[in-house]
Amino acid sequence: MARFLTSQYRSVMRKKMLILLKISANVLMKWGGRLISKKQSNTPRGSSILKDKEKQISSFRRRQQDASRREAAGARRMQELVRQFGTILRQITQHKWAEPFMEPVDVEGLGLHDYYEVIEKPMDFSTIKRKMEAKDGSGYKHVREICADVRLIFKNAMKYNEERHDVHVMAKTLLGKFEEKWLQLLPKVDEEEKRRKEEEAEVQQDMQLAQEAAHAKMAKDLSIELDEVDMQLEELREMVLQKCRKMSTEDKKKLGNALTRLSPEDLNKALLIVAQSDPTFQATATEVELDMNAQSESTLWKLKFFVQDVLHAQGKSPASIVPNNINNNNLLNNNKRRREICDALAKSSQKRSKKPS
C-alpha cells in the first residue's frame, strides 16, 4: 500500500512540476502577485473559460479590423499625396527643357563610355512613371521615394556634365523649380508621416496589451490547475495518515531522545516542522517545551522521517527511533520514499495553516 501511495504522490508531483514549468520568468514577474484565490478556483470553470476564449477571439478580430481599416485609410491618403505629386511631375515634364530627362540616357548612341563609371544609379522620368503605375508591388510605397528619384535625375545630369554645359544648366534650373513645388506639398507629407507614426505606436501598444492579457489569462489558468493539484495532494495526505499507525508511547520516547542527538541547526529545523502544524508553537523562543503527546500523528511522523535522515547523513544509527513494524533492512531503500511523503505532508500542512479561519 505504501508503494501505491508513493506512486500516486510522485504522479501528482510530476503533474505539478509540469504546470510550474509552463510559467515563464516574465509571467511570474508581471503577474505572479495577481494569481486568483481559492474561492475563484472553486467556481464553475467551463462557462468562464468559454467566455474568456470568446472575449479573446472577439478582441483579436476587433484589433485586426481596426488595423485593416487604419492601413486602408493610410493607403488612400498616400494615394492622394501621390496624385498631387503627379501634378508637380506633369508641370516639370511639360517644361521646354525637360526633354533630355524623359528617357534613359542613350549611352552607346552618344558615346558616353564612362557614364556608368560616374553615375551609379541612372534615372529618368519614364522609369519613374513606370514605377508609379506598377501593380505588382514593385512600385513606390511612399511619395518621398518618388521625390528622391526626381532629384536623382537632375543630380546625375549635373554630376556628369560640367557647369557650363547646357544639360547641367537645364538640370539645375528644373531642380530648383521642382524644389519650390515640393515645398508646397511637404507639410501634407509631414502630417501624414506623423499620423502613421502615431498609428504604428497604437498598434504596438495594442500588441503589448494583448500579450499581457494572454499572460494574465495563462497565469489564471495555471493557478487554477495548481490549486487542483494541491487539493489532490491534500487528499493524498489524508490517505497517508489513514495508513500510518499511531505511534506508541515507547516510539514517542525514542523520537524525543533522538531529537536531543541533533545539532542546534538541525534541532531548529525539527522545531519548525512542529510550528508548521501548530502556528502557536514558538519554535524560535529561547526556551522551548515540546510535548510529544500533544503533537498530531502527521507531525510525529514528519519529525521521525526528518530525524531519521539527519542521523543517517551523520553516520549515526537511526534504528533507535524506527517503530517496530518497519524493517530495518529496507530503511535505506525507503528513505527517499519517506522524504517525498514527508514533503507532501509538510507542504499541505503549511498551506492549510495559512488559510484564514
Side-chain angles (χ1 to χ4, degrees), residues 97-248:
W97 286 352
E99 183 62 27
F101 314 107
M102 297 302 296
E103 299 293 335
V105 175
D106 184 6
V107 176
E108 293 184 3
L110 297 175
L112 308 177
H113 305 297
D114 61 343
Y115 185 81
Y116 294 114
E117 297 177 5
V118 178
I119 304 302
E120 297 178 1
K121 182 182 177 183
M123 185 56 59
D124 62 276
F125 284 113
S126 66
T127 300
I128 291 177
K129 182 180 180 182
R130 185 168 59 254
K131 290 184 67 175
M132 289 178 65
E133 297 174 350
K135 304 295 183 182
D136 58 356
S138 62
Y140 295 108
K141 303 297 187 297
H142 197 290
V143 69
R144 284 189 182 274
E145 297 176 1
I146 314 175
C147 176
D149 278 353
V150 172
R151 287 172 174 162
L152 184 60
I153 294 175
F154 300 129
K155 288 183 178 180
N156 282 348
M158 295 166 62
K159 182 178 181 180
Y160 188 78
N161 297 279
E162 297 179 355
E163 288 190 25
R164 296 183 179 180
H165 195 283
D166 289 344
V167 174
H168 184 108
V169 174
M170 294 163 67
K172 186 174 182 179
T173 302
L174 291 178
L175 178 61
K177 292 182 177 296
F178 169 75
E179 295 293 354
E180 290 177 1
K181 296 181 180 299
W182 168 249
L183 286 176
Q184 298 175 6
L185 184 62
L186 187 58
K188 295 182 180 180
V189 176
D190 290 340
E191 182 181 355
E192 174 59 24
E193 289 177 336
K194 180 180 178 182
R195 186 169 182 174
R196 284 197 172 193
K197 288 181 180 179
E198 292 174 351
E199 290 179 351
E200 289 175 0
E202 289 179 4
V203 170
Q204 291 295 328
Q205 185 177 11
D206 288 345
M207 291 176 61
Q208 183 178 357
L209 291 175
Q211 186 178 26
E212 290 178 353
H215 286 170
K217 178 67 168 54
M218 183 175 68
K220 178 180 177 181
D221 292 343
L222 291 174
S223 177
I224 293 175
E225 291 185 46
L226 286 171
D227 284 340
E228 291 179 350
V229 171
D230 286 337
M231 291 176 64
Q232 295 178 25
L233 288 173
E234 182 73 14
E235 294 174 359
L236 181 58
R237 186 191 72 85
E238 295 299 329
M239 292 176 63
V240 172
L241 289 178
Q242 290 175 8
K243 298 302 175 182
C244 290
R245 72 166 181 81
K246 291 187 177 181
M247 283 193 184
S248 64

Side-chain angles (χ1 to χ4, degrees), residues 2-18:
R3 184 175 298 175
F4 172 72
L5 291 175
T6 304
S7 176
Q8 275 192 317
Y9 165 75
R10 287 176 176 171
S11 176
V12 174
M13 289 304 295
R14 276 197 298 269
K15 181 178 179 182
K16 188 168 185 177
M17 288 301 298
L18 288 173

